[in-house]
Amino acid sequence: MIRLGVNIDHVATLRNARGGIFPDPVAAAEVALASGADGITAHLREDRRHIRDADMPRLRALSAPLNFEMAATDEMVRIACDLRPHACCLVPEKRQEVTTEGGLDVTGQRDALAPRIARLREAGIRVSLFIDPDAKQIETAAALGAPVVELHTGAYALGGAHELERLQTAAQTVAECGLELHAGHGLTYDNVGAVAALPGLAELNIGHFLIGQAIFDGLGPAVRKMKSLINS
């Protein structure tokens, strides 16, 4: 069974639009878990545009794994080591971007990433690296001691030519490197099937589409349908 992690960032985006406390992203996480999600993903950005610091301990207190998406900075490593989530996924982050635009350049940032990955692992946190489907990036992730890579599926979701083949080749490289394979970004009911069929895939992390679909169908039904699709 492929695990489904539900990213609740954009529940917090809606809350923050009014500056109040509703809708509560933790309540959304509870609905997602009750509807079959296997874990919750939340990205605490440097500018706190959606998830806030006060949300994180409440999410950590839920009886399900918390995947803490974060930039590879000293501030975020410190917060993660204090919080001790089940997992941390290191992602690239730019203040001006609307959403994560690409994978982390682990090859180019190897020296900066190595001590941060080591510190997280010493704290007992499973580390994953959000990367493009590129063999060199995958091999560097393995060399750095990250046990998991999450393939950025954004180019595939946008309909790029040969992007599914790139993901399939990358999945094979992940297996050869002995890493656990996750994937996510831009996935919907219509395009998730081919990604769910990647050999060795253990987990998908999906957020924006599910929160958007919840406007029409409710979050619980959206999560249940996605979980059914990825394991059908």
Side-chain angles (χ1 to χ4, degrees), residues 189-229:
Y189 293 156
D190 294 330
N191 63 24
V192 74
V195 177
L198 292 174
L201 183 72
E203 181 174 304
L204 288 170
N205 286 292
I206 303 174
H208 185 266
F209 173 79
L210 290 174
I211 303 308
Q213 193 65 29
I215 295 171
F216 305 102
D217 299 334
L219 183 57
V223 170
R224 287 192 290 272
K225 181 171 180 177
M226 185 63 77
K227 188 71 181 288
S228 175
L229 286 170

Side-chain angles (χ1 to χ4, degrees), residues 54-67:
D55 297 325
M56 297 304 292
R58 298 173 61 222
L59 291 167
R60 176 67 178 82
L62 297 174
S63 58
L66 172 61
N67 178 34

Side-chain angles (χ1 to χ4, degrees), residues 133 135 138 151 164-174 176 198:
I138 296 165
L151 297 181
L164 179 58
E165 291 88 345
R166 284 187 69 204
L167 289 168
Q168 292 166 338
T169 300
Q172 182 176 346
T173 305
V174 171
E176 291 168 353
L198 292 174

Side-chain angles (χ1 to χ4, degrees), residues 25-205:
V26 180
E30 291 172 334
V31 171
L33 293 170
S35 303
D38 299 287
I40 297 299
T41 294
H43 185 174
L44 184 67
R45 283 180 171 265
E46 179 192 26
D47 60 8
R48 309 307 199 263
R49 70 176 65 169
H50 35 62
I51 296 298
R52 300 170 179 164
D53 294 70
D55 297 325
M56 297 304 292
R58 298 173 61 222
L59 291 167
R60 176 67 178 82
L62 297 174
S63 58
L66 172 61
N67 178 34
F68 179 4
E69 283 192 354
M70 52 180 268
T73 64
D74 290 337
E75 178 199 20
M76 290 300 159
V77 170
R78 176 185 56 76
I79 292 171
C81 289
D82 289 342
L83 187 70
R84 302 291 177 101
H86 173 74
C88 284
C89 183
L90 302 184
V91 303
E93 185 177 307
K94 295 184 293 184
R95 279 207 176 196
Q96 65 270 30
E97 68 187 2
V98 175
T99 185
T100 306
E101 295 175 346
L104 187 67
D105 181 11
V106 294
T107 302
Q109 299 179 42
R110 180 172 183 156
D111 291 344
L113 288 170
R116 295 180 170 110
I117 291 170
R119 186 176 172 194
L120 292 168
R121 294 194 67 183
E122 287 167 4
I125 301 167
R126 187 193 72 189
V127 179
S128 64
L129 303 180
F130 187 68
I131 61 175
D132 290 327
D134 176 85
K136 189 173 183 180
Q137 298 290 343
I138 296 165
E139 291 161 359
T140 305
L144 286 171
V148 180
V149 294
E150 181 170 337
L151 297 181
H152 186 306
T153 56
Y156 159 77
L158 291 173
H162 309 297
E163 289 300 329
L164 179 58
E165 291 88 345
R166 284 187 69 204
L167 289 168
Q168 292 166 338
T169 300
Q172 182 176 346
T173 305
V174 171
E176 291 168 353
C177 290
L179 305 178
E180 183 171 306
L181 175 62
H182 299 182
H185 201 82
L187 298 177
T188 70
Y189 293 156
D190 294 330
N191 63 24
V192 74
V195 177
L198 292 174
L201 183 72
E203 181 174 304
L204 288 170
N205 286 292

